[in-house]
Amino acid sequence: MIKIKINDSKKFKWAYDEYVRKYRFLFFINIILKTLSGILGFIPPIFIGMSIDFAISKNIKNVFINLFIIMLSLIMNSVISIFETKIQIKITYSVTNNIKKKIINKFLHMQQADINRIHRGEFLSRLDDADNIVQGFMEISTLVFIDMLTFVFALVIMFYISPLLSTAYLVNIPVIFLLQNYYGKKIAKKEEDVKHSNDNYYSILFEIIDAIKEIKIFNLENVTENKYKDKLEESTKLHNEKAKYTIKANFWAVIVNGFFQLIVLAFGCIFIISNIISVGSYFTFNSYVSRFSIEFQTISQFLINKHLYIVSITRLQELFSYTDECSYYNDIKLNIDYKLIKLKDVIFKYENTNNFILNIKDLSFERNQITVIKGKNGNGKSTLFNLIMGFYSFEGCIFINDININTISLKQRRKAICYIQQKPYFFNGTILYNLQLARSEATLKEIEDVCKIVGIDNFIRSLEDEYYTIINELGCNFSGGQLQRLALARAVISKADFILLDEITSGIDIEGKEDVYKAIEKLKENSSVVIISHDPDIYKIADKIIYMENGRVKKCEKKDL
C-alpha cells in the first residue's frame, strides 16, 4: 500500500480543492472507462491460454470460438480507448488551464511589493507546474481506482493458477518499493534544483529581450551570450543529474523484476515437464504476471513521481500565500466629490531597511491646480505616486477630501486618479485601443480632439491606417516623444479627478513642449494635476512647486492664483 506523509496528503488535498474538485465528474468518467478497459484487458490472456490447450488437444472448434471472443474484446477495448483518450485530453486541458488562469489572476491582484519579490522567470516557470499537478492527479485517480484493483485482481488469478509460482515472484515487491522510495527522494531534491534553475533560465531570456538595445549599445553580445550559455548549461546539468537517478531507479527495478521473472520461468518449465501445470495455464499465468508487473511498476513509479508533484504543489502554495490587494484594502464604494488629496504623517521604507524613502508630515494637492514636484533622483518622488495609487502599504494616512484613502475601493480610487509613468507602457494594439484604455466609452471624435490638443493628431493622420495603426510591442515603431504625447493624451481622455504625470516632457522637443504645457493647463480645468519634472520651463505653468529632499518636503512655493 502506498503511504503518503500527512503533510504531503494535506498538500494534495489543497491542490484537489483548489484546482481539481470542479472537474471530478470528468475524472469519474475516466475511471469508469479505465475500469471497463481493465476488465476487457483481462479476457484475452485467459482465452489465449485456453486456445493453446485446445490446440494441443486438437479441439479446433473451441479454438475458433476463443479467437472470436478475443477479437471481440480487443475491438471493444479499442473503441473504449478512443473515448478514454478524449476524456483524458479534456481533463488535462481543463485542469491545466484552470490552474494557469488562477496563477495569472493571482499575479494580477497581488500587492506590488510582493510582485517585486518574484523574478519574471520564476513566475513563468510556475505556470509549468500546472502540467505536473494535472499529471499527478491523473496518476492518483488511476492508481487508487484502477491500478490497485487491477494489481489485486491479477494477483488473485496468479495465486488461483499457481500459488507456488506467485509466491516466488512476489518476493521482489518489497525490494523494488525500497529502491523506488530511495531514489524518489533523491530525484525530488534534484527537481527543486531544476525548478530554481528554470526560474533563472527564464529570467535571463526576459533580460535579453528587454535589454536588447543596451546590449547592442555597450557591445555586450558576447557577454550576454556567454551568460545565457552558463544558465542553459546549468539547467541541462541539473536535468541530467535528475535523469541519472531516474535511470538508476529504473535500471535496478528492471534487474530485480527480471531476476525474479527468470526464477518464475525456471520453476514454470519444471512444473510443465512435471505436468503440474498445462502449457496454456502457464501462458495465462505468465500473461497475468506481465500485467501484474506493469501495474506494480506504475504503483512503484508513483513513489518517485509523488515527490515531483509535491514540489510543484509547494511552489504554487508559496505563490498563493501572498496577500491580494483587494484583501488588504477595504472595498467600500463611496460617492465622493474629489477635491483634495492630503498626506498626513506618511512614512514609507522598504522591508529590512531602516532608511526612510518618504517621510512627509503634511502635503496636499488641490483640484484645479498644477503642482510640480522637484528634487534629485532617489528622493521619493515616484514612490509618492505609487503610494497614492495603492501599490505599497505605508505608515500614516492619505486622505481624499477627509476620507482615508484605504476605505475607498482600489478600483474606484484608480478610476479617479490617472497615473502616467515616466516610461508609459503601450500594448500591442491600435492607437485607438491604447487610448481608449483610459476611458473605454471615449469616442473616436473625442480622441481625435484630444490628440489635436497634445499635438499628435497630424502625425497620426500621416499614417496609412491613422488611428487604427498598430503600435508594436513596447511601442518600438514610435519615437519616445510620440509615445509621451500619446501618454499625455491618455491622461486628458481619462477625465480623472487627479492626474499624476512623471517626467511627461522627457523626449519631447522644445516646440512640442508648448503643446504639452497647453494640454496640461487644460487638464487643470477639471482636475488636480501633479507633475514630477526636471524641466525648468514647466514651472511657468505651475500653481505650486514642491521641493523634495531625502524623502521630505523641503520647501513649498505657491504662486498667486
Side-chain angles (χ1 to χ4, degrees):
M1 186 69 181
I2 300 294
K3 288 187 178 180
I4 300 177
K5 294 178 182 178
I6 295 176
N7 289 341
D8 292 349
S9 299
K10 288 181 178 178
K11 290 179 186 291
F12 275 111
K13 185 180 184 306
W14 175 84
Y16 174 78
D17 291 338
E18 288 289 327
Y19 309 122
V20 179
R21 181 184 291 275
K22 66 183 291 188
Y23 302 106
R24 58 186 180 275
F25 179 72
L26 291 176
F27 278 91
F28 175 74
I29 297 298
N30 184 54
I31 289 167
I32 295 297
L33 292 174
K34 278 189 170 292
T35 302
L36 292 174
S37 179
I39 292 171
L40 289 171
F42 278 108
I43 294 175
I46 295 173
F47 285 90
I48 290 173
M50 292 169 61
S51 297
I52 292 172
D53 286 339
F54 283 136
I56 292 173
S57 63
K58 298 182 180 180
N59 189 339
I60 303 301
K61 180 182 177 181
N62 285 340
V63 169
F64 279 106
I65 291 173
N66 286 351
L67 290 177
F68 174 76
I69 294 172
I70 293 168
M71 179 58 68
L72 185 62
S73 67
L74 290 174
I75 291 172
M76 291 175 65
N77 214 344
S78 297
V79 172
I80 289 173
S81 70
I82 293 173
F83 291 101
E84 187 181 336
T85 301
K86 286 184 177 181
I87 203 73
Q88 285 176 359
I89 292 172
K90 175 73 173 176
I91 289 172
T92 299
Y93 281 105
S94 296
V95 180
T96 301
N97 290 346
N98 180 37
I99 295 173
K100 291 181 177 179
K101 287 174 185 176
K102 287 193 174 186
I103 291 173
I104 293 297
N105 177 272
K106 180 64 181 180
F107 183 77
L108 291 173
H109 292 89
M110 282 171 62
Q111 294 185 59
Q112 189 63 42
D114 292 332
I115 291 173
N116 294 344
R117 294 188 184 97
I118 302 176
H119 295 295
R120 286 186 297 171
E122 179 184 348
F123 172 76
L124 186 62
S125 72
R126 296 202 185 192
L127 290 172
D128 295 337
D129 291 324
D131 299 314
N132 279 346
I133 291 174
V134 174
Q135 184 181 343
F137 279 99
M138 291 290 284
E139 275 196 35
I140 290 172
S141 63
T142 56
L143 179 71
V144 174
F145 296 101
I146 308 299
D147 295 324
M148 292 298 293
L149 292 176
T150 305
F151 177 83
V152 173
F153 191 65
L155 187 61
V156 169
I157 295 178
M158 286 164 56
F159 268 93
Y160 176 78
I161 295 172
S162 176
L164 288 175
L165 291 178
S166 300
T167 302
Y169 179 71
L170 291 180
V171 178
N172 75 330
I173 288 181
V175 179
I176 291 180
F177 267 128
L178 288 172
L179 283 170
Q180 299 289 52
N181 195 45
Y182 171 76
Y183 282 109
K185 291 178 180 178
K186 290 187 173 294
I187 291 171
K189 180 63 177 70
K190 285 298 173 186
E191 177 70 2
E192 292 181 20
D193 296 336
V194 166
K195 293 289 186 183
H196 290 308
S197 178
N198 286 344
D199 296 344
N200 295 329
Y201 173 75
Y202 285 128
S203 291
I204 189 66
L205 285 179
F206 275 121
E207 185 177 272
I208 291 171
I209 294 169
D210 291 346
I212 187 62
K213 285 186 177 179
E214 280 75 9
I215 289 170
K216 292 178 180 295
I217 289 169
F218 297 107
N219 295 317
L220 297 174
E221 289 89 346
N222 291 337
V223 173
T224 304
E225 185 178 359
N226 289 334
K227 191 175 179 181
Y228 171 78
K229 285 179 180 178
D230 290 341
K231 295 297 181 185
L232 182 61
E233 288 172 3
E234 176 189 332
S235 178
T236 303
K237 180 183 177 183
L238 289 171
H239 275 93
N240 286 337
E241 289 175 358
K242 174 188 163 186
K244 286 178 182 178
Y245 285 120
T246 304
I247 291 169
K248 287 180 181 179
N250 292 335
F251 171 78
W252 287 112
V254 169
I255 291 295
V256 172
N257 192 49
F259 174 75
F260 282 95
Q261 282 188 342
L262 286 176
I263 291 176
V264 170
L265 178 61
F267 278 106
C269 292
I270 294 172
F271 288 174
I272 291 172
I273 294 171
S274 304
N275 291 322
I276 297 174
I277 191 172
S278 68
V279 174
S281 294
Y282 177 74
F283 176 85
T284 301
F285 174 83
N286 206 45
S287 296
Y288 281 106
V289 166
S290 297
R291 185 65 182 269
F292 176 87
S293 178
I294 291 171
E295 300 302 337
F296 175 63
Q297 285 294 329
T298 301
I299 294 168
S300 60
Q301 184 65 37
F302 182 74
L303 285 173
I304 292 176
N305 293 343
K306 78 178 181 75
H307 295 290
L308 308 184
Y309 305 143
I310 288 297
V311 171
S312 292
I313 292 172
T314 302
R315 283 164 56 84
L316 286 188
Q317 281 186 316
E318 290 172 355
L319 179 66
F320 281 88
S321 68
Y322 290 112
T323 306
D324 287 351
E325 279 186 327
C326 58
S327 64
Y328 183 83
Y329 297 105
N330 293 327
D331 200 28
I332 303 171
K333 291 186 177 181
L334 303 171
N335 293 319
I336 303 170
D337 181 18
Y338 298 102
K339 294 181 178 179
L340 173 76
I341 289 182
K342 185 174 182 179
L343 290 82
K344 191 71 175 176
D345 298 321
V346 170
I347 295 174
F348 175 78
K349 60 182 178 180
Y350 291 113
E351 290 183 1
N352 303 320
T353 63
N354 293 320
N355 297 325
F356 295 112
I357 304 300
L358 279 178
N359 188 353
I360 297 177
K361 296 297 181 183
D362 191 7
L363 180 63
S364 60
F365 306 114
E366 295 82 8
R367 194 165 185 168
N368 308 121
Q369 286 190 14
I370 297 172
T371 303
V372 175
I373 301 177
K374 181 180 180 182
K376 295 180 180 179
N377 292 332
N379 277 285
K381 301 185 300 296
S382 297
T383 302
L384 173 61
F385 282 5
N386 287 329
L387 298 190
I388 293 173
M389 292 300 296
F391 292 143
Y392 302 105
S393 57
F394 55 90
E395 296 178 30
C397 295
I398 297 178
F399 298 93
I400 292 184
N401 298 349
D402 294 323
I403 301 170
N404 191 314
I405 204 169
N406 287 341
T407 63
I408 304 172
S409 73
L410 280 172
K411 285 187 177 180
Q412 188 177 7
R413 184 198 307 188
R414 289 171 182 168
K415 189 174 181 180
I417 305 170
C418 179
Y419 176 21
I420 303 300
Q421 300 182 85
Q422 185 172 354
K423 293 182 179 179
Y425 189 91
F426 287 87
F427 294 89
N428 186 204
T430 65
I431 294 173
L432 180 63
Y433 166 77
N434 273 278
L435 294 181
Q436 284 180 324
L437 292 176
R439 187 165 53 86
S440 58
E441 65 271 22
T443 64
L444 177 59
K445 179 66 168 58
E446 284 183 85
I447 290 172
E448 289 172 345
D449 291 342
V450 169
C451 288
K452 288 175 183 176
I453 294 171
V454 301
I456 192 69
D457 179 71
N458 288 337
F459 167 74
I460 295 174
R461 298 286 183 189
S462 70
L463 302 172
E464 183 178 353
D465 296 319
E466 298 188 355
Y467 283 85
Y468 295 94
T469 300
I470 296 293
I471 298 178
N472 291 344
E473 191 174 11
L474 300 178
C476 59
N477 56 333
F478 288 79
S479 71
Q482 290 162 352
L483 293 176
Q484 287 298 110
R485 287 172 185 263
L486 288 173
L488 181 59
R490 271 183 180 171
V492 180
I493 291 166
S494 73
K495 293 186 177 181
D497 296 279
F498 300 99
I499 308 291
L500 311 180
L501 305 174
D502 195 345
E503 298 291 356
I504 193 63
T505 58
S506 64
I508 297 179
D509 56 31
I510 295 174
E511 293 79 8
K513 285 182 180 181
E514 292 301 321
D515 292 328
V516 172
Y517 300 153
K518 289 177 184 177
I520 292 174
E521 287 186 305
K522 186 170 183 62
L523 282 173
K524 167 186 169 180
E525 294 174 7
N526 298 301
S527 308
S528 171
V529 184
V530 186
I531 308 168
I532 295 171
S533 182
H534 291 91
D535 177 11
D537 293 330
I538 207 168
Y539 302 146
K540 65 186 180 183
I541 64 170
D543 299 305
K544 183 166 63 174
I545 302 174
I546 304 293
Y547 296 87
M548 291 190 65
E549 187 175 297
N550 297 324
R552 293 177 168 84
V553 175
K554 184 180 179 181
K555 186 170 61 172
C556 178
E557 291 182 358
K558 293 184 179 180
K559 291 187 178 181
D560 294 331
L561 301 179

